[in-house]
Structures are given as structure tokens and as C-alpha cells.
């Protein structure tokens, strides 16, 4: 595997590449990536999402574009555009049966991800968000090493071994000389719809302590919101902007400052 940074094609101009990682699956990495994209597009930026979580591609489902296929020509591969204008590239747009399991070895996954960067006709983008595979193993590391990533966002949940994940991610980021833009703690609490009391379902989180120790910004505590899960399930996440705009914007403002 060569670690030479990939270049885009002549039809593409990307200003900033942000990779979103998590210590394990199911913490809401894809949901947070999608919300970030929604907030950025609503602010008038041009945004793309590269679905790098090849083993569990959920971005097309979250945006309701699962049946779509990418057109390919001699120029490259066309991404699929969501109703609000986010450009998405996912392996499922190239597969005949999108629910076939992808049992690939790391190098092939890394190669495909690199191709999504080099061969997709992204056009002009202010932000390309990369939804990395979960974990801090060799696969996300290799992926990041071969792409010109400008910043990393870590998504965690209170029941994570956050200490270990943040340390490993910080180590990875240091080796690649890429800044960690911050941590987003998802599923932090549940707010009672009647009395508005916040309940820490998973107990007291250690994220705040570790973020201070490591001098990494804790960007946001995101609540458990059944409405968010419902919209992700229905492929209508773009509607969440009209339901909880404050939360959606909270994510992007912090990212934009860096
Ligand atoms: P990951 O990408 O880390 O595997 P997903 O983003 O696919 O995780 O989320 C896993 C599941 O949890 C999905 O069903 C999603 O809708 C749900 N989910 C994620 N974040 C929240 C949240 N804040 N509130 C409620 N459900 C959530």
C-alpha cells in the first residue's frame, strides 16, 4: 500500500476534507456525519459525503437514496445528490444488489475509498466529509493516510471506552500530522418531553474529563432523540433541520471555527 496522498480529478476542487471516526459501530457516526452535512449545506456551503464505512454503508439509507445508481463515464463517477443538494458517494450506488454483504480485505477497501476520492466527479466542494469505518484499526488509519485529510472529528457515546479511543485517535492524528477538531458525544442524555429533566441513561460520562486532559474540544453533547432515529430510518434526516435547528447548527459552528 502506498501512502502517497491522492489527487482529485480535473473536474473536482475540494477545499476541506474532514474525516469522522468512532471507536466502535453503533455510536451514531453516520448520523452525526449526515447532520453535519445538513447544517453545512443549510449555511450555503457546498458539501459532499464519502461513505467510507463499506461494511455497513448507512449514509444512502439515512438520506433516502438507497435505490440510486451512479453514472460512470470516461470523465469519472457521478455522485448521487440528496434533495437538499448534498453530493454522496457510496459503494451501494455501484453494486447491483445494494444489500449484498461486502466481505473485502483492508487493502481493497482502502483502494476503493481512495478511488472515491480520485475518480468521483465531486465538482466544487467547500467540505468533503468522510464517514470512516468504525474503530481505530489499520483500515481507518490507512484510509486517512492516503487522503489529504484536514481534520478529524471523533464521535463517541458515554458507554464507550472513551479514554482508550481518544488516546488512540490522538496518536493516529499525531502520526498523520492532522488536527483533531473535536469530540462529539452522542446519546449523552435523554430529555423528558414533559418535565424537560435530562436523564443520563448511561451514567456519568468520562468524555469531559478526557477531553480536558488531552486538550481536545468537546464540541457537543447530543441527546438521544427518538425523532432523529425515526428520520434516519425513514431516509428523511434533512427534515431534522426543521425540528431541532439549534442542535444541527451547534455541530457546524464549532467545526467552522477551526
Ligand atoms: P454508526 O455510524 O456509529 O454505526 P449510526 O449513525 O448508524 O451509527 O446510528 C446507529 C443507530 O442509532 C441508528 O439507528 C440511528 O438512527 C440511531 N441514533 C444515532 N444517534 C442517535 C440519537 N442521538 N438519538 C437517537 N437515535 C440515534
Amino acid at each position: 500500500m502506498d501512502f502517497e496522498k491522492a489527487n482529485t480529478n480535473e473536474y473536482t476542487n475540494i477545499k476541506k476534507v474532514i474525516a469522522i471516526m468512532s471507536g466502535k459501530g453503533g455510536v451514531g457516526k453516520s448520523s452525526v456525519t449526515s447532520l453535519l452535512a445538513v447544517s453545512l449545506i443549510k449555511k450555503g456551503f457546498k458539501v459532499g459525503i464519502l461513505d467510507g464505512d463499506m461494511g455497513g454503508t448507512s449514509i444512502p439509507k439515512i438520506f433516502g437514496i438507497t435505490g440510486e445508481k451512479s453514472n460512470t463515464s470516461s470523465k469519472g463517477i457521478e455522485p448521487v445528490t440528496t434533495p437538499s443538494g448534498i453530493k454522496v458517494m457510496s459503494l451501494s450506488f455501484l453494486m447491483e444488489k445494494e444489500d449484498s454483504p461486502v466481505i473485502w480485505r483492508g487493502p481493497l477497501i482502502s483502494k476503493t475509498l481512495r478511488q472515491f476520492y480520485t475518480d468521483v466527479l465531486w465538482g466544487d466542494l467547500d467540505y468533503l466529509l468522510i464517514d470512516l469505518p468504525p474503530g481505530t484499526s489499520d483500515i481507518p488509519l490507512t484510509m486517512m493516510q492516503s487522503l489529504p485529510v484536514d481534520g478529524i472529528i471523533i464521535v463517541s457515546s458515554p458507554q464507550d471506552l472513551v479514554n482508550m479511543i481518544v488516546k488512540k485517535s490522538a496518536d493516529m492524528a499525531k502520526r498523520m500530522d492532522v488536527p483533531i477538531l473535536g469530540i462529539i458525544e452522542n446519546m449523552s442524555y435523554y430529555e423528558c418531553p414533559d418535565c424537560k429533566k435530562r436523564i443520563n441513561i448511561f451514567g456519568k460520562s468520562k468524555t469531559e474529563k478526557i477531553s480536558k486532559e488531552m486538550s481536545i474540544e468537546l464540541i457537543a453533547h447530543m441527546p438521544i432523540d427518538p425523532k432523529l432515529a425515526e428520520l434516519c430510518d425513514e431516509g428523511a434526516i434533512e427534515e431534522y433541520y426543521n425540528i431541532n435547528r439549534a442542535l444541527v447548527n451547534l455541530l457546524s459552528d464549532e467545526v467552522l471555527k477551526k
Side-chain angles (χ1 to χ4, degrees):
M1 192 74 209
D2 65 287
F3 290 144
E4 210 177 291
K5 299 274 186 219
N7 286 315
T8 51
N9 51 69
E10 60 186 293
Y11 308 100
T12 293
N13 181 19
I14 301 171
K15 290 198 184 129
K16 203 163 184 178
V17 179
I18 297 175
I20 293 95
M21 63 184 295
S22 67
K24 62 172 188 192
V27 299
K29 175 177 51 59
S30 303
S31 309
V32 169
T33 305
S34 306
L35 283 177
L36 268 170
V38 172
S39 66
L40 290 166
I41 200 111
K42 294 286 184 191
K43 286 189 185 233
F45 292 106
K46 297 190 183 83
V47 189
I49 302 178
L50 195 164
D51 181 5
D53 191 352
M54 313 264 173
T57 69
S58 43
I59 298 288
K61 181 170 187 284
I62 290 175
F63 284 96
I65 48 175
T66 41
E68 302 287 332
K69 294 284 167 260
S70 285
N71 291 322
T72 47
S73 69
S74 55
K75 285 183 187 167
I77 309 166
E78 288 283 352
V80 171
T81 305
T82 72
S84 68
I86 299 162
K87 291 181 182 172
V88 178
M89 188 60 215
S90 172
L91 187 60
S92 70
F93 302 150
L94 298 174
M95 295 187 29
E96 259 174 51
K97 278 176 146 187
E98 68 225 19
D99 52 359
S100 313
V102 178
I103 310 163
W104 286 359
R105 288 183 190 279
L108 188 54
I109 294 179
S110 301
K111 201 171 157 228
T112 308
L113 180 105
R114 192 182 161 102
Q115 246 181 323
F116 281 178
Y117 184 77
T118 55
D119 297 358
V120 170
L121 305 167
W122 292 107
D124 284 330
L125 287 186
D126 295 303
Y127 290 94
L128 177 67
L129 308 179
I130 303 180
D131 186 18
L132 287 174
T136 45
S137 67
D138 268 1
I139 297 179
L141 180 67
T142 313
M143 282 186 177
M144 281 198 280
Q145 276 176 323
S146 70
L147 297 181
V149 175
D150 297 297
I152 296 170
I153 291 179
I154 303 169
V155 180
S156 70
S157 69
Q159 77 272 41
D160 264 359
L161 295 169
V162 79
N163 214 331
M164 190 187 76
I165 292 159
V166 173
K167 281 192 176 141
K168 273 192 175 176
S169 313
D171 181 49
M172 196 187 248
K174 202 170 155 199
R175 271 198 276 163
M176 293 179 344
D177 203 17
V178 175
I180 295 184
L181 303 179
I183 307 172
I184 293 169
E185 189 187 75
N186 189 23
M187 308 185 190
S188 290
Y189 60 90
Y190 177 71
E191 191 177 271
C192 170
D194 298 324
C195 71
K196 303 287 170 206
K197 191 176 168 199
R198 289 185 176 189
I199 302 153
N200 295 319
I201 295 191
F202 300 111
K204 201 171 179 299
S205 130
K206 297 186 183 75
T207 312
E208 203 145 341
K209 186 168 171 275
I210 185 80
S211 68
K212 273 199 190 119
E213 271 173 30
M214 304 282 298
S215 306
I216 300 173
E217 187 170 350
L218 181 50
I219 298 175
H221 289 283
M222 289 195 30
I224 294 174
D225 183 356
K227 189 69 197 166
L228 177 62
E230 196 183 306
L231 290 177
C232 287
D233 213 41
E234 288 170 357
I237 197 167
E238 284 157 307
E239 282 173 30
Y240 197 67
Y241 185 74
N242 299 321
I243 292 167
N244 196 340
R245 191 166 303 187
L247 186 72
V248 176
N249 283 339
L250 178 72
L251 296 179
S252 76
D253 280 348
E254 294 301 324
V255 175
L256 293 174
K257 269 194 227 156
K258 315 253 170 164

